[in-house]
Amino acid sequence: MMQDQRDNSYLFGGNAPYVEELYESYLHDPASVADHWRDYFDNVKQVPAVDGSSRTDIAHGPIVASFAERAKQGPIRTISDSADSEMGRKRVAVQQLIAAYRNVGNRWANIDPLKRTERQDIPELDPAFYGFTDGDMDIVFNTSNTFFGKTEMSLRDLLQALRETYCGTIGVEYMFIADQKIKKWWQEKLESIRSTPRFNVDEKRQILDRLTAAEGLERYLQAKYVGQKRFSLEGGESFIACMDELIRDAGNKGVQEIVIGMAHRGRLNVLVNTLGKMPKDLFAEFEHKGPETLPAGDVKYHQGFSSDISTPGGPVHLSLAFNPSHLEIVNPVVEGSARARMERRGDMLGEQVMPVLVHGDAAIAGQGVMQETLAMSEVRGYSTGGTVHIVINNQIGFTTSDPRDLRSSLYCTDIMKIVDAPVLHVNGDDPEAVVLATKLALEFRMKFHKDVAIDIVCFRKLGHNEQDTPAMTQPLMYKIIAAHPGTRKLYADKLETQGALPAGSGDLMVKEYRAAMDEGKQTSDPVLSNFKGKFAVDWSPFLNKKWTDEADTAIPLTEWKRLAEKISTIPENFKAHPLVAKVYNDRAAMGRGEVNIDWGMGEHMAFASLVASGYPVRLSGEDSGRGTFTHRHAVLHEQNREKWDTGTYIALQHVTKDQAPFAVIDSILSEEAVLGFEYGYAAAEPNTLTIWEAQFGDFANGAQVVIDQFIASGEVKWGRANGLVMMLPHGYEGQGPEHSSARLERFMQLCADTNMQVIQPTTASQIFHVLRRQMIRQFRKPLILMTPKSLLRNKEAASPLSEFTKGGFQTILGERDDTIDAKKVTRLVICSGKVYYDLVKQRAEKKMDDAAIIRLEQLYPFPHKALTAELKKYPKLEEVVWCQDEPQNQGAWFFVQHNILENMSEGMKLSYAGRPASASPACGYAHLHQEQQKSLLNAAFAKLKGYVITK
C-alpha cells in the first residue's frame, strides 16, 4: 500500500531528488525556496520523528559530503543554477498535470451527443496553468508512473495521451476512491488503451445489429400503434448494445443469473431485444388481445419477464423484476432477489449472480431510496457482490432540463461516490465507447465485487411519453434533437465509410429487422426454451391454495424439550451480560415446563423448530438481534471480548447438526430500502421464513411505497406470490403519536382479493403457531403481524406448555373466564390486541357477569365461520361492542364493522367503544392518554350511546 501511495504522490518517483535538494536548501536558508515550498516544509517540521522526538531536522548534505570525501569521491552536488531549479519545477508540474487529468479530465470529455453546453473552464487541465509554453512541448519528462507504455514522453505526447484517455467519448471518475489498488487498476486499464475501443469487424457488426434492433422496434411500434404509450428508447439505443455486451461478457466470466431492475423508459425494448420476449406477444398486449387472467393486471411497461439466454460462456438466466411507476423503488427489491439467489447457490461473493440496475438521470439523483440502497451495498446482511448501475441519461427529467433545476450535483451519478463506486460517463452516440465502458465496468465488478456505474449520456427523441410535445418546454433541445440523424444511422455510415461493412449494409439490416417484426419472431440471442437450471425454484406447490388450509403446527413434547435446551444454553467460558443470562435461565425453565412460556421464548421456539425441520429463517430490522424492547436476545455478546468483531454467539444457529440456516440481521437505519430488499428476497425464496421487523410499527410508513405497490398489490397485478412477514410493534401505552400505532387502518384498507394476512396475536402460543403456519402451510401471502410491546413481559400473555404441543393458531380466541355463564351473556365485547387485557381487568372491577370478551386475532382474511360459532354460544346476546385502543377513524373499526354485522342475528345492536376520531395516531399528553383509556374501557361495558347500528 505504501508503494501505491508513493506512486501517486508528487514527493516520490522521478521528483524525489529535486524535492530533497529543495529541502536541503530550505534547512540551510528557508528564504532560499519558493513561498509554497517553505510553507510545506514548515509543516513537515511540525511532525514528530518516528521515535516520538521533536528535535529540529538538520541538513543531510554536509554529512553525506563528509562520507563522500572519505571515500575520495566528489562532494554531493546541490542546485546552484536557475536552469536546474526551473527544470525541477517543471518535473513537479508534469506530475500535477497528470494528476489533474486523472481527477477532472472527465469534465472535458466529449460525452454529450447534443453538445448543448460549452466546455467548462478548468485551468488545471491547461499546461499554461503550470507555466508551460509552446517551447516546452518537446521536452521529455519521466512518465514511469503512468501506463502509456513509455517511461519517458515529450510533454506534447503526454498531453495527447492524457486527453485521449480522459477527455474522449469516455470520461471516468475514480480518483475519489480511497483504495489505492483500485485507483491504480483504473489507471492501468484506461491509460494502457487510452480509453479507445478496438473491436474487430464481427464485434462491430454485433453492435450495429443491436442498435438496429433497438431503433427498429421503436419505429415499428410508433408506426403500428400510433399514440400508444410505450416510453420510447429512441435517442438512447446504445443502451441495448450495452446490455447485450454485459450479458454476453458476464456469461463468459461465469455469471449464471442476472437480476435486472429498471423503470419504464426502454423497458419494452429490453423485453424484446434483450430478454427475448416474442414480439407477437407484445403486439397482442398493444391490441388488448393478450391473456387477462389476473384480478387486476398491469400495463405492459411494468411487466417483468424471465428467460434463459445462450452466451459464449454458457446459459445465463435473466430476470427482469416487475415494478411500478415509482422510480427507483425496484432497486432494493432486485438486490434482495439477487441475495436470495446467491445464498441458494452458496455464492456469497457474487461470482454466479449479478444484479443490474437501470436508472434515469433525474431519478438516480432525486429519489431517496437510491441512497438507502447504496448504503446497504456493502453491509454483511445485504451485500450482493457489486451491482452494475446503468444510467439512461437523456438529460431531462420529465420536462426539466435546465441544470439549475435538475439537481445540486455536477453529475447525476455523484451519489455513487458515497460507496466509492467508479463512474464511466460515455457518449451515447459512440456505441463502441459504450460497449468498451461496459466491458471495463463488468471487469471491475467481477474483480473487486463493488458497485460500478455506466452513465450513458444520450437524449430522448420523443416526449416523456408518446402523447407528449416536449418542444413546448424544451424548444432549443428539441431543435437539436430534430436535426439528429440517430445513433444507428451515424454508426452504420461510419462502418461503411471505414470499409468494415459493404455499402448499404445498414439499410439492409433495417429491412431484415422489420421483416422479423412483421413475422413476430425473436430478435435476441438464442433463447433456450424448456431450459430449467439447477437452482430454479418451483412455485407450483404454493399456487391456488386457500387460507383455510390446515397446518399441523404443534410439536411433540420430546422435541420441544430438546430444542428448548439447545436454545437456552450458553456455552461454557462465554460470559453473557447478567440480565441476558437471566433471560436464558428463565427460558430453560420454560423449556422444562416449570413456568409458562413468554413471547420471546415462543418466538424462539418457532424459529428453532423451523430450522430443525429444514426451513431457513431470515429476520432483519434495526434492532432485531436484541429486539427493540430487549425481549429477543437472539445474539449473545461476550462481555469479556477483546476485539470488536468477535465474541458473539447465536444459539439458533446451533439447534441441530444439519439444520437450515438462521440469520438475524441488525439492519441499517432504513425502512423503505430494507423492506424492499426483504420483499425481493422472499419473492425469490418461498421456502425461507423471511421477516422484516420495524423498530416501532409507526415507522413502517417510511416504506409505504413498498407496502402499497408490492406487498399489497404485487400478486393481483403481476401474479407473483410472496410470503414476507412484517412484524410491526403496535399498542397504545402512552408513548405518544410516533410510538403507538403501526397504522393498522392502512393495512385494513389495502385488504382485498385475499392478498395478505393481517394478524394481531396476543399470546406466546399464538405467535409460535402463526410463524410456523407461515411455512408449513403452502400458502404464500404476506403476513402482517401487529406485535405487542407491553405484552412481551405480561404474565397474562404467557402460555402453558400444552398450547405448544397441541392445537394450532386460532383466528378468534373465545371467552377464557370459566365463571362467565354463556346463557346469561347479553353483551359481547369484541376486540383485538393488548386492549383485551385491559378489558378483562375492567370487567372484573365492575363485577360484571353478563358480558363476554373475545379476541379477533386474525383481522384478514376475516374469519366469518369462527365468529358465527362464537356468537352462537350466547343465546341471549343483544349487544355487540367493538372495542379498540385506536381513534375511531383509525384501527380496524371501519373494516370490521360490516364483517361483524354480517354475522349478527337480526335485532342485535352493534356499537363502538374507543378513542374519538383524531388527526394524530395518539396523544402526547400522559394525562390525556389515561383519560381516553379510562373512557373507552368504561364505554365497552356502559349503556350503548353514540354510533349504534341495529341489524
Side-chain angles (χ1 to χ4, degrees), residues 23 58 101 283 364 444 448 454 649 671 749 777 836 861:
Y23 189 48
I58 61 173
Y101 272 87
F283 302 156
I364 191 175
F444 171 83
F448 294 101
I454 307 165
Y649 177 78
E671 281 77 39
Q749 185 184 40
R777 184 180 60 173
Y836 165 77

Side-chain angles (χ1 to χ4, degrees), residues 8-10 95-109 120 122 124-125 130 162 165-167 171-178 180 183 187 190-191 410-411 414 417 423 425:
N8 285 275
S9 172
Y10 301 149
Q95 297 307 312
Q96 292 174 319
L97 187 64
I98 293 170
Y101 272 87
R102 287 171 170 173
N103 277 282
V104 295
N106 58 85
R107 298 187 192 179
W108 272 8
Q120 300 178 52
I122 305 176
E124 302 97 300
L125 300 179
Y130 305 96
L162 289 169
T165 303
Y166 294 107
C167 304
V172 186
E173 291 185 279
Y174 65 89
M175 286 297 287
F176 60 86
I177 297 172
Q180 294 291 332
K183 285 193 282 195
Q187 288 162 12
L190 298 170
E191 293 170 6
L410 177 62
Y411 293 115
D414 281 348
K417 294 176 182 178
V423 180
H425 307 280

Side-chain angles (χ1 to χ4, degrees), residues 4 112 160 188 217 228 311 346 358 381 513 586 604 640 645 658 668 677 686 688 695 709 713 852 885 892:
D4 290 338
D112 181 5
Q160 181 180 348
E188 182 174 2
L217 178 66
Q228 287 202 44
T311 76
V358 184
Y513 186 85
D586 291 344
H604 255 63
N640 293 330
D645 58 348
D658 299 317
I668 65 168
F677 186 101
T688 295
Q695 190 183 55
Q709 314 311 132
S713 58
D885 275 327

Side-chain angles (χ1 to χ4, degrees), residues 796-832:
E796 297 299 318
S799 303
L801 178 54
S802 60
E803 291 186 5
F804 298 85
T805 57
K806 297 177 183 177
F809 176 75
Q810 299 179 62
T811 57
I812 292 179
L813 291 179
E815 175 59 63
R816 291 300 178 95
D817 189 340
D818 294 337
T819 65
I820 299 296
D821 186 351
K823 295 178 181 179
K824 295 181 180 180
V825 170
T826 59
R827 174 175 294 191
L828 179 65
V829 179
I830 306 177
C831 64
S832 185

Side-chain angles (χ1 to χ4, degrees), residues 120-323:
Q120 300 178 52
D121 181 21
I122 305 176
E124 302 97 300
L125 300 179
D126 187 346
F129 178 76
Y130 305 96
F132 290 117
T133 66
D134 288 344
D136 297 315
M137 288 296 119
D138 295 318
I139 298 176
V140 175
F141 293 94
N142 185 305
T143 55
S144 59
N145 64 335
T146 68
F147 295 91
F148 296 124
K150 298 178 181 179
T151 57
E152 291 184 335
M153 298 174 72
S154 69
L155 181 57
R156 187 187 312 279
D157 290 345
L158 177 61
L159 268 174
Q160 181 180 348
L162 289 169
R163 287 170 178 169
E164 288 176 355
T165 303
Y166 294 107
C167 304
T169 50
I170 300 177
V172 186
E173 291 185 279
Y174 65 89
M175 286 297 287
F176 60 86
I177 297 172
D179 192 323
Q180 294 291 332
K181 292 190 184 74
I182 290 178
K183 285 193 282 195
K184 191 170 183 178
W185 186 89
W186 277 109
Q187 288 162 12
E188 182 174 2
K189 289 295 175 181
L190 298 170
E191 293 170 6
S192 63
I193 61 171
R194 301 195 182 187
S195 300
T196 303
R198 292 178 177 85
F199 296 116
N200 60 39
V201 171
D202 289 341
E203 291 168 330
K204 291 179 179 181
R205 182 178 176 85
Q206 175 67 18
I207 293 171
L208 180 59
D209 177 77
R210 293 297 83 201
L211 293 177
T212 303
E215 181 188 85
L217 178 66
E218 298 296 350
R219 296 194 174 181
Y220 189 89
L221 295 175
Q222 178 76 359
K224 191 169 184 178
Y225 305 105
V226 179
Q228 287 202 44
K229 286 185 180 181
R230 69 178 193 277
F231 298 97
S232 168
L233 184 63
E234 286 182 272
E237 293 91 345
S238 288
F239 167 63
I240 296 299
C242 168
M243 288 296 294
D244 178 70
E245 176 60 33
L246 185 65
I247 294 165
R248 287 155 53 88
D249 200 11
N252 258 336
K253 289 178 166 55
V255 173
Q256 297 175 29
E257 286 194 74
I258 299 177
V259 189
I260 306 166
M262 68 178 297
H264 40 281
R265 177 75 52 212
R267 190 179 183 91
L268 300 185
N269 219 304
V270 168
L271 283 168
V272 171
N273 289 322
T274 301
L275 279 85
K277 182 173 183 173
M278 293 293 289
K280 65 179 181 180
D281 293 338
L282 177 63
F283 302 156
E285 293 172 10
F286 272 97
E287 296 163 7
H288 310 291
K289 297 178 181 177
E292 296 182 353
T293 57
L294 298 172
D298 203 349
V299 293
K300 48 190 168 291
Y301 41 81
H302 289 172
Q303 297 297 327
F305 196 79
S306 63
S307 61
D308 295 281
I309 299 293
S310 175
T311 76
V316 174
H317 182 74
L318 306 179
S319 296
L320 176 64
F322 293 82
N323 75 283

Side-chain angles (χ1 to χ4, degrees), residues 367-382:
Q367 293 294 321
V369 71
M370 183 67 204
Q371 181 273 330
E372 292 186 29
T373 304
L374 287 174
M376 293 192 298
S377 64
E378 296 186 34
V379 176
R380 285 184 297 172
Y382 307 94

